[in-house]
């Protein structure tokens, strides 16, 4: 729809002024990036983001919930949120509630049937219609449900309100061509569609031009990028080209698929300095029998071989994974195979899940459902093993110097501990102490510190509190951009909040840039 034809918040609500909005995200990185598009569409239509305090209480004129449908509790989360919002809406005349994302694509009008106070339901394939549906719901005084079966507008062409000025997501594809029996994503996101390399690189350049120093390339299966336009080596080429963009300091990607992960990608990672020594490689199960039942077209030896080659090329690479416990028919012997592979893989961390049967997936009808107590007991054993491995890996970091990209608000206890938080090159979470005198780094700045303590899932660098500790701040364009957005001036290390959350968060709107 042309920009000029979009309703605006002022047009819609007359003299009442611009309407406020909150977008609440439930789900993965794809959902987070989709939420940025939703926010961009609303701001283009004249809405304004609710203040942080109002957003925390969902006190806004429009509340959008962007849903996930991957696990069984996704619906519980959605309807729990909607139940709470019903009371908020009764107390706030004119408030509107919209539900988008994967669960909206799946459940459709059933959401309004179950929660009739919802005003708008829209799917994963038509994010662009959100402002129009809000206006139509208000005008018609009835809920609007609009779900498309295939992508109508590529999301990256939409305006985007970036949550961060120093790091950003860039989609290289949407959808998935795999047929994993436990996964509902292909049904909800459709077949894979790749963007042209020039479009991806132009968006990365535009982000860097606005101050970003870190970019993460997104796809359901990044390794299959290029199949749609006939170049099976396209992803490795894209890594090299994006990594060479001037001003970009950190390049990451997620998620690959082990069956499609090729050595040219490993070479591109190792030979491109801006590609970070970090890899997320989903295992799902260590049992070859269960991998076959999952239709995961690799086996445990193949998986371990990939990790060996990655570490040979990048010895300090931190590797993370996804694992499902309790897939139908999983025996104790199968689970022992998973423990074996996890022990051998030495993951820095793992996202572990208890299997959730999802209607619409092939695994939903498989026999051999496990008792909840058995699944829970195995889940606890796996978590304990990974906790030990993660701690052992992090203990090897003690005494090392790491460069931390300062985050805006990742450390929940930073205020009490007088620390800041950020991510090292290998994506480990690092809490670091400030010096009593000296400059305060801003979100987006880079700080070199020495690691003094390790926990399973974070590192601490407190040596800077002592006179002899390393504390080297490198001010960046990203920090300058954060200053401009926040309205605070930290150029002399004074004023503002040490955690970088003191200033307002203005919009950074970016649609698809022009292609040179």
């Amino acid at each position: 729809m042309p920009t000029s034809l979009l309703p605006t918040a002022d047009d819609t609500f007359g003299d009442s002024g611009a309407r406020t909005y909150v977008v609440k995200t439930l789900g993965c990185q794809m959902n987070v990036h989709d939420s940025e598009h939703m926010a961009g569409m609303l701001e283009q239509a004249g809405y304004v983001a609710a203040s942080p305090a109002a957003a925390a209480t969902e006190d806004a004129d429009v509340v959008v919930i962007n849903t996930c449908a991957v696990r069984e509790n996704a619906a519980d989360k959605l309807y729990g949120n909607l139940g709470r919002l019903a009371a908020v809406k009764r107390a706030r005349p004119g408030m509107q509630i919209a539900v988008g994302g994967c669960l909206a694509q799946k459940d459709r009008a059933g959401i309004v049937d179950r929660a009739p106070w919802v005003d708008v339901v829209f799917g994963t394939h038509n994010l662009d219609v959100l402002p129009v549906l809000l206006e139509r719901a208000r005008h018609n005084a009835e809920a609007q449900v609009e779900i498309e079966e295939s992508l109508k507008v590529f999301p990256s062409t939409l305006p985007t309100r970036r949550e961060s000025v120093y790091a950003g997501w860039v989609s290289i594809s949407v959808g998935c061509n795999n047929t994993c029996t436990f996964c509902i994503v292909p049904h909800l996101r459709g077949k894979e569609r790749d963007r042209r390399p020039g479009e991806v690189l132009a968006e990365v350049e535009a982000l860097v031009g606005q101050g970003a120093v870190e970019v993460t390339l997104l796809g359901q299966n990044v390794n299959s990028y290029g199949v749609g336009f006939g170049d099976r080596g396209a992803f490795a080429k894209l890594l090299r080209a994006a990594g060479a963009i001037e001003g970009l300091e950190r390049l990451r990607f997620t998620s690959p698929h082990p069956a499609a992960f090729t050595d040219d990608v490993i070479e591109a990672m190792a030979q491109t300095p801006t590609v970070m020594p970090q890899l997320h490689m989903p295992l799902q199960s260590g049992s070859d029998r269960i991998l076959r039942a999952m239709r995961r077209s690799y086996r445990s030896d193949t998986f371990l071989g990939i990790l060996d080659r990655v570490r040979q090329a990048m010895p300090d690479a931190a590797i993370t994974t996804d694992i499902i416990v309790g897939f139908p028919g999983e025996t104790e012997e199968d689970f022992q195979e998973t423990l074996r592979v996890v022990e051998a893989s030495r993951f820095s961390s793992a996202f572990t899940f208890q299997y959730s049967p999802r209607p619409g997936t092939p695994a939903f009808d498989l026999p051999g459902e496990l008792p909840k107590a058995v699944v829970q007991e195995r889940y606890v054993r796996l978590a304990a093993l990974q906790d030990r491995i993660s701690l052992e890996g992090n203990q090897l970091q003690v005494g090392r110097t790491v460069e931390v990209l300062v985050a805006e608000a990742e450390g929940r206890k930073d205020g009490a501990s007088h620390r800041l938080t950020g991510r090292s090159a290998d994506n480990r979470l690092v809490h670091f102490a400030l010096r009593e005198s000296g400059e305060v780094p801003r979100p987006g700045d880079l700080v070199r510190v020495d690691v003094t303590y390790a926990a399973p899932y974070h590192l601490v660098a407190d040596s800077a509190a002592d006179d002899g500790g390393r504390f080297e701040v490198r001010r960046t364009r990203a920090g300058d951009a954060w200053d401009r957005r926040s309205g605070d001036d930290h150029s002399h290390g004074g004023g503002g909040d040490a955690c970088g959350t003191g200033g307002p968060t203005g919009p950074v709107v970016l649609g698809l840039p022009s292609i040179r």
Side-chain angles (χ1 to χ4, degrees), residues 401 403 435 439 446-449 464 469-474:
T401 300
E403 187 170 57
R435 282 184 171 157
E439 63 181 329
L446 288 157
V447 182
R448 285 171 59 84
V449 291
R470 188 188 305 269
F471 187 74
E472 300 169 1
V473 178
R474 178 156 65 90

Side-chain angles (χ1 to χ4, degrees), residues 199-242:
E199 294 177 355
V200 175
L201 295 174
E203 186 172 353
V204 174
E205 286 181 343
L207 271 173
V208 172
Q210 291 186 344
V213 293
E214 177 175 295
V215 167
T216 301
L217 304 178
L218 282 180
Q220 297 294 154
N221 178 7
V222 293
N223 299 112
S224 63
Y225 174 75
V227 172
F229 49 84
D231 184 357
R232 292 186 177 275
F235 184 60
K237 296 174 186 175
L238 184 67
L239 283 179
R240 294 179 186 273

Side-chain angles (χ1 to χ4, degrees), residues 141-255:
E142 64 180 12
Q144 301 297 306
V145 178
E146 187 168 308
I147 306 292
E148 295 288 350
E149 297 302 327
S150 60
L151 200 65
K152 300 301 180 185
V153 178
F154 207 98
S156 295
T157 65
L158 301 174
T160 308
R161 184 189 190 275
R162 301 280 179 177
E163 287 300 309
S164 169
V165 296
Y166 51 85
W169 311 100
V170 173
S171 291
I172 68 172
S173 63
V174 294
C176 183
N177 293 336
N178 292 317
T179 58
C180 303
T181 57
F182 57 81
C183 186
I184 199 169
V185 168
H187 175 65
L188 301 179
R189 295 271 181 180
K191 292 292 186 181
E192 181 177 322
R193 289 181 56 178
D194 296 335
R195 298 175 69 190
R196 299 296 301 188
E199 294 177 355
V200 175
L201 295 174
E203 186 172 353
V204 174
E205 286 181 343
L207 271 173
V208 172
Q210 291 186 344
V213 293
E214 177 175 295
V215 167
T216 301
L217 304 178
L218 282 180
Q220 297 294 154
N221 178 7
V222 293
N223 299 112
S224 63
Y225 174 75
V227 172
F229 49 84
D231 184 357
R232 292 186 177 275
F235 184 60
K237 296 174 186 175
L238 184 67
L239 283 179
R240 294 179 186 273
I245 291 174
E246 186 176 357
L248 181 66
E249 303 213 20
R250 295 184 170 192
L251 181 63
R252 306 186 191 275
F253 60 88
T254 196
S255 289

